[in-house]
Amino acid sequence: MPIKRVALRNGAVVNSRAKMRPTIMKFGGTSVADGVAFANVSSIVQAAAGEQPVVVVSAIAGFTNALLGAVEKASGGDSRAAGRSLDEWFERHVAIAKAFVGEEAREPVESAIDDAKREIRQLLRIIAAYPVTSPPLQDEIVAYGELLSSRLLAAGLRANGLQSQYVDARECVKTDETYGNAAPLPETAATTNELLRPLIEAAAIPVLGGFIGSTPRGVTTTLGRGGSDYTAAIVGAALEAREIQIWTDVSGVLTADPRVVPEAKPIPVLSYQEAAELAYFGAKVLHPKTIQPAIDKSIPVRVCNSQAPQDAGTLIVAESEAAPQTIKAIAHKNGIVTVQVTSARMLGAYGFLRALFEVFDRHKTAVDVVTTSEVSVSLSIDDASTLPELITDLEQLGTVQIERARTIVSVVGEGLRNTPGIAARVFSVISDINVSMISVGASSVNLTFMVDDAHAAEAIMRLHRVCFEESRVPAEEVVA
Ligand code: ADP
Ligand code: ASP
Ligand code: MG
């Protein structure tokens, strides 16, 4: 039966036959660290071949950092050293190609690696000569991480008998011009459907790099560190996927950061809101912007372990499906700066807070947590790059006090809505640790506070014990 193509009002082109709902499978850097890891990804995709997979892949582990390091070296003037620092990374890509891609399909991949090496060196020379032009050029360089890994994966899947097709993600994900932290534009739905639908309908497996996009004029952009998760969600929403899978190196979203709490356990089910709060307050396993596109189209998100694909992982769904209503996890974000502005002008006056927030607006600085008292406001920021300018402007409003090296700790769970005594229980286990900026109820699923970086691990471990490991142990015993 011929398939009729129709244009939707939003510009998307789809087939008139019932739309296929693909499964988005996103593999993070650690899932593609070497040839063995690539082969492992290939078997995971093979096992899902019947579910119309669309594969999104990050740069190989560590390469994005190396590319950013090279840009920094070049900005300092030494483009040769910058270029040389990447040599081992190109060799690593060639080694992966040798291990993972059959000899007959290897030539185009190897020449893509060579081209990337040459082009990056040229761009580094431009950066060294004209450092002022570096933000767009930095994105152009950093994008090679995902461009190469996606080429490698597409070729390797094909060599393993899958009908995969490399797609340049920049043709799908259209963004604004905020280099380094670009936001997707609405036309992404149409461009993604135009490019990927015909492949899916033809039973091919599109493979695209995460993290990268381009402006309507075609200039390369990136979506912010860890942004491949976001690509998976953007592409998933555009294609109205059946599921968005985030394949990583842990068996789901855990009850705490495993680097701080080795006893942390996978959480079987989370609501969208719980997952969004955890990601926002530092659970690195999900990029904070990943959940919104999934909510918009009611698409379940699943976090799975590429080293243990048989593990159930975490399923993230609408609140109504996410039971039971308990405390789910503790997230944290360190290296936070808090800014306190004290002014008698605040007392009983209106307009003060607006003036205060306008300062943060003017310097494009996001605020995470806010608490106020009669004559002072405390705010937390995790990007302190604009701090000197912020201080100058805030001093017009009152006395400014800065504290660095702080950690936001956030206890998250739908259960916070209606479990009496939770705050008392949380604070009694850390009663000997100085806590500030307590915020509860701003969102009904989180309780947030600030401690010094130096005390964060201790506070999180104790909270984890009382919330997840020994729920019947009285709080006093945990402190002891
Ligand atoms: P990928 O390369 O797959 O994108 P990331 O390093 O970005 O992987 O995210 C996975 C890592 O996130 C885990 O290895 C873990 O160290 C860290 N992490 C922090 N908090 C959590 C949490 N609550 N649950 C799971 N992982 C977490
Ligand atoms: N490669 C990018 C980064 O390291 C994006 C990602 O891995 O999600 O930030
Ligand atoms: Mg990540």
Side-chain angles (χ1 to χ4, degrees):
M1 180 184 78
I3 299 170
K4 206 169 129 223
R5 288 161 67 73
V6 290
L8 295 182
R9 248 193 315 176
N10 66 1
V13 177
V14 294
N15 299 315
S16 60
R17 209 174 60 183
K19 248 196 305 181
M20 285 180 164
R21 301 197 69 178
T23 301
I24 313 299
M25 306 179 80
K26 177 263 170 176
F27 295 91
T30 46
S31 301
V32 289
D34 53 27
V36 175
F38 267 88
N40 186 39
V41 167
S42 172
S43 21
I44 294 171
V45 175
Q46 189 130 38
E51 294 165 31
Q52 291 85 42
V54 170
V55 177
V56 174
V57 64
S58 292
I60 68 171
F63 190 34
T64 305
N65 284 345
L67 288 163
L68 285 168
V71 170
E72 206 180 308
K73 274 200 187 78
S75 311
D78 196 347
S79 63
R80 275 169 161 270
R84 271 199 308 272
S85 71
L86 296 175
D87 285 350
E88 58 165 311
W89 289 94
F90 295 113
E91 283 159 24
R92 212 168 287 186
H93 282 83
V94 171
I96 292 171
K98 287 211 162 74
F100 181 53
V101 182
E103 210 175 336
E104 57 305 338
R106 208 180 295 150
E107 201 279 321
V109 179
E110 285 181 340
S111 64
I113 300 170
D114 268 353
D115 290 349
K117 184 172 173 175
R118 210 185 38 255
E119 285 157 21
I120 289 174
R121 286 193 165 206
Q122 207 165 348
L123 292 168
L124 289 171
R125 277 197 291 274
I126 297 173
I127 288 184
Y130 310 101
V132 81
T133 59
S134 65
L137 289 187
Q138 172 165 307
D139 275 3
E140 193 74 41
I141 290 174
V142 169
Y144 279 103
E146 272 67 13
L147 290 172
L148 288 182
S149 62
S150 52
R151 273 192 188 278
L152 266 173
L153 186 57
L157 290 179
R158 196 170 273 265
N160 287 344
L162 291 164
Q163 200 196 328
S164 60
Q165 176 65 51
Y166 165 76
V167 175
D168 186 336
R170 297 172 296 182
E171 305 289 320
C172 294
V173 181
K174 291 289 156 189
T175 74
D176 66 10
E177 295 184 351
T178 317
Y179 298 101
N181 194 22
L185 298 173
E187 57 250 47
T188 295
T191 47
T192 302
N193 272 284
E194 262 160 40
L195 260 148
L196 301 189
R197 274 276 164 220
L199 296 174
I200 300 165
E201 304 285 354
I205 303 177
V207 179
L208 49 148
F211 180 55
I212 58 177
S214 70
T215 67
R217 290 190 302 136
V219 183
T220 301
T221 52
T222 62
L223 304 178
R225 292 308 306 270
S228 296
D229 300 336
Y230 192 25
T231 302
I234 294 166
V235 169
L239 297 173
E240 300 195 357
R242 137 185 24 180
E243 188 167 282
I244 297 163
Q245 298 177 349
I246 306 293
W247 290 84
T248 182
D249 61 348
V250 283
S251 292
V253 181
L254 308 181
T255 47
D257 187 333
R259 292 164 296 186
V260 176
V261 183
E263 296 77 19
K265 294 276 179 304
I267 307 161
V269 186
L270 282 173
S271 70
Y272 286 132
Q273 205 191 343
E274 289 171 333
E277 298 277 350
L278 285 171
Y280 184 73
F281 286 111
K284 186 180 172 233
V285 64
L286 281 178
H287 185 278
K289 293 180 186 161
T290 311
I291 298 298
Q292 194 55 49
I295 296 178
D296 292 344
K297 294 288 170 74
S298 300
I299 303 169
V301 177
R302 198 183 288 276
V303 180
C304 314
N305 189 344
S306 60
Q307 307 302 317
Q310 70 288 350
D311 286 1
T314 298
L315 182 63
I316 304 165
V317 286
E319 179 193 334
S320 52
E321 302 161 64
Q325 305 249 313
T326 54
I327 302 296
K328 296 285 179 55
I330 303 159
H332 76 283
K333 204 154 64 160
N334 47 27
I336 299 290
V337 173
T338 62
V339 180
Q340 188 179 47
V341 183
T342 308
S343 166
R345 269 173 56 198
M346 211 185 136
L347 197 64
Y350 56 85
F352 184 85
L353 285 178
R354 197 203 54 209
L356 185 88
F357 282 113
E358 268 172 10
V359 174
F360 288 86
D361 223 31
R362 206 159 40 244
H363 297 291
K364 295 193 167 70
T365 303
V367 171
D368 288 333
V369 183
V370 185
T371 55
T372 71
S373 76
E374 216 174 3
V375 289
S376 75
V377 184
S378 297
L379 309 102
S380 79
I381 55 176
D382 72 353
D383 173 9
S385 57
T386 56
L387 199 55
E389 296 91 322
L390 280 174
I391 294 175
T392 309
D393 287 4
L394 291 171
E395 277 172 344
Q396 308 300 311
L397 298 173
T399 314
V400 180
Q401 258 182 311
I402 303 294
E403 281 186 272
R404 292 169 196 275
R406 310 280 288 157
T407 296
I408 300 181
V409 180
S410 193
V411 180
V412 172
E414 298 278 355
L416 284 167
R417 280 183 211 276
N418 38 26
T419 314
I422 279 287
R425 192 153 161 232
V426 162
F427 293 119
S428 63
V429 284
I430 51 171
S431 55
D432 55 335
I433 294 175
N434 198 10
V435 164
S436 65
M437 290 185 71
I438 298 168
S439 154
V440 54
S443 141
S444 53
V445 306
N446 92 42
L447 184 165
T448 297
F449 55 89
M450 206 74 71
V451 294
D452 273 341
D453 278 353
H455 295 119
E458 178 63 27
I460 294 161
M461 281 188 288
R462 280 193 209 162
L463 283 172
H464 194 268
R465 274 184 66 194
V466 79
C467 291
F468 304 108
E469 296 166 49
E470 304 169 13
S471 52
R472 282 183 302 275
V473 174
E476 313 77 67
E477 282 179 33
V478 179
V479 181

